[in-house]
Amino acid sequence: MRQKIVAGNWKMNKTVVEGRVLIEGLKDLVGKVTDPVVLVCPPFTALTEIAMSLKDSEIRIGGQHMHEADSGAFTGEIAAEMLLTSGCSHVILGHSERRALFSETDEAVNIKAKKALSAGLVPIVCVGETLEERETGNTEKVIEGQLGGSLDSLSESDMKKTVIAYEPVWAIGTGKTATPEQAEEVHGFIRKLLADKYGSKIAEEVTILYGGSVKGSNAAGLFAKENIDGALVGGASLKADDFAAIVNAMV
Ligand code: 13P
């Protein structure tokens, strides 16, 4: 059985105080849920405080980004060990915003993923096509390229530990969710690519999340699909009720 995950990517939102309020609300609503794994990814500034607040709960915590070096002169960056010792179990890598706004390449995501895995963090590797790429019939080509580059030469045991998030860029923050059928088509394609490379046994074990305007009202339809193992949620993860509704759509 694949691990199901509902993850909240807070992006650049919530001060420490605001984050604590959100997490107290979430603890009341879904703090004891273990299946799916409930994960929150606050900004770096709030990680330690949120991790402390989560000590008596099942909710887990992740980073939104990571540098591949152990330490050194990389102003503004965060190392794997820093995430780990702040209480993180996961780290989001290659989010489309990082790719588009901060020029992150598949190669860079690949190096970061390997570093995260060797440090003991679970990488959540994001892929997804733009509207133009979809409309010109290039969705599969783009996904195959991003996955091939981002997961290049990962060992079988590392692949099993890695989570993939399919986030079509046109669905992020737009209110335009992919239909369950559109999402399932790409999730099935991703699993087939994994099976071609690693064999079907490993491909069946990899958790593949959908992200892009997921809400309480559309989550159940997405989660009903065979290859959709959870969600990576942006906007709707910023309110406890909204995020809990998505978690409860899977419980
Ligand atoms: P929204 O849920 O706001 O569309 O964001 C999705 C996302 O980018 C999660 O990483």
Side-chain angles (χ1 to χ4, degrees):
M1 274 294 284
R2 294 192 281 276
Q3 186 173 63
K4 308 282 184 185
I5 302 175
V6 175
N9 175 8
W10 294 6
K11 307 191 179 181
M12 197 173 75
N13 294 290
K14 303 293 178 189
T15 62
V16 174
V17 172
E18 290 165 348
R20 211 188 302 132
V21 172
L22 171 55
I23 218 67
E24 288 307 322
L26 269 184
K27 273 164 61 179
D28 287 343
L29 294 167
V30 294
K32 298 289 170 227
V33 175
T34 53
D35 185 19
V37 167
V38 180
L39 179 75
V40 292
C41 302
F44 295 137
T45 44
L47 283 178
T48 313
E49 185 78 19
I50 300 290
M52 300 265 269
S53 307
L54 288 176
K55 279 223 162 89
D56 55 347
S57 124
E58 299 291 341
I59 300 172
R60 298 170 59 183
I61 186 164
Q64 298 178 13
H65 165 67
M66 190 198 91
H67 194 277
E68 62 273 19
D70 287 330
S71 63
F74 301 101
T75 302
E77 291 288 327
I78 302 281
E81 186 71 13
M82 295 171 183
L83 291 176
L84 271 176
T85 52
S86 298
C88 292
S89 52
H90 293 66
V91 59
I92 298 170
L93 295 176
H95 189 280
S96 62
E97 288 149 17
R98 302 265 356 145
R99 291 176 184 267
L101 304 173
F102 303 98
S103 309
E104 241 174 60
T105 61
D106 293 326
E107 195 182 12
V109 175
N110 183 243
I111 295 168
K112 290 172 195 289
K114 286 176 182 160
K115 180 66 193 185
L117 285 157
S118 70
L121 287 166
V122 174
I124 301 177
V125 174
C126 303
V127 295
E129 81 287 1
T130 62
L131 186 59
E132 193 195 344
E133 288 163 343
R134 172 163 283 262
E135 286 179 343
T136 50
N138 285 313
T139 299
E140 292 195 348
K141 193 172 136 223
V142 169
I143 300 296
E144 187 166 5
Q146 288 178 343
L147 269 187
S150 304
L151 305 178
D152 186 41
S153 68
L154 239 59
S155 69
E156 290 188 357
S157 70
D158 278 350
M159 191 61 243
K160 279 200 270 189
K161 291 179 208 145
T162 299
V163 172
I164 294 170
Y166 168 57
E167 299 204 312
V169 177
W170 49 271
I172 295 178
T174 58
K176 264 202 233 168
T177 330
T179 63
E181 290 70 29
Q182 283 174 319
E184 172 65 12
E185 196 180 3
V186 179
H187 281 232
F189 176 68
I190 292 172
R191 206 171 303 284
K192 183 186 159 301
L193 291 175
L194 294 176
D196 290 348
K197 197 162 161 194
Y198 291 96
S200 55
K201 189 168 177 296
I202 288 174
E204 283 302 318
E205 288 181 41
V206 176
T207 298
I208 308 177
L209 309 179
Y210 169 79
S213 297
V214 179
K215 304 186 271 277
S217 55
N218 59 26
L222 290 159
F223 295 162
K225 293 295 180 189
E226 189 187 332
N227 288 297
I228 300 180
D229 307 313
L232 181 54
V233 184
S237 73
L238 300 176
K239 285 195 184 145
D241 288 349
D242 293 349
F243 192 56
I246 297 169
V247 173
N248 286 328
M250 184 164 263
V251 172

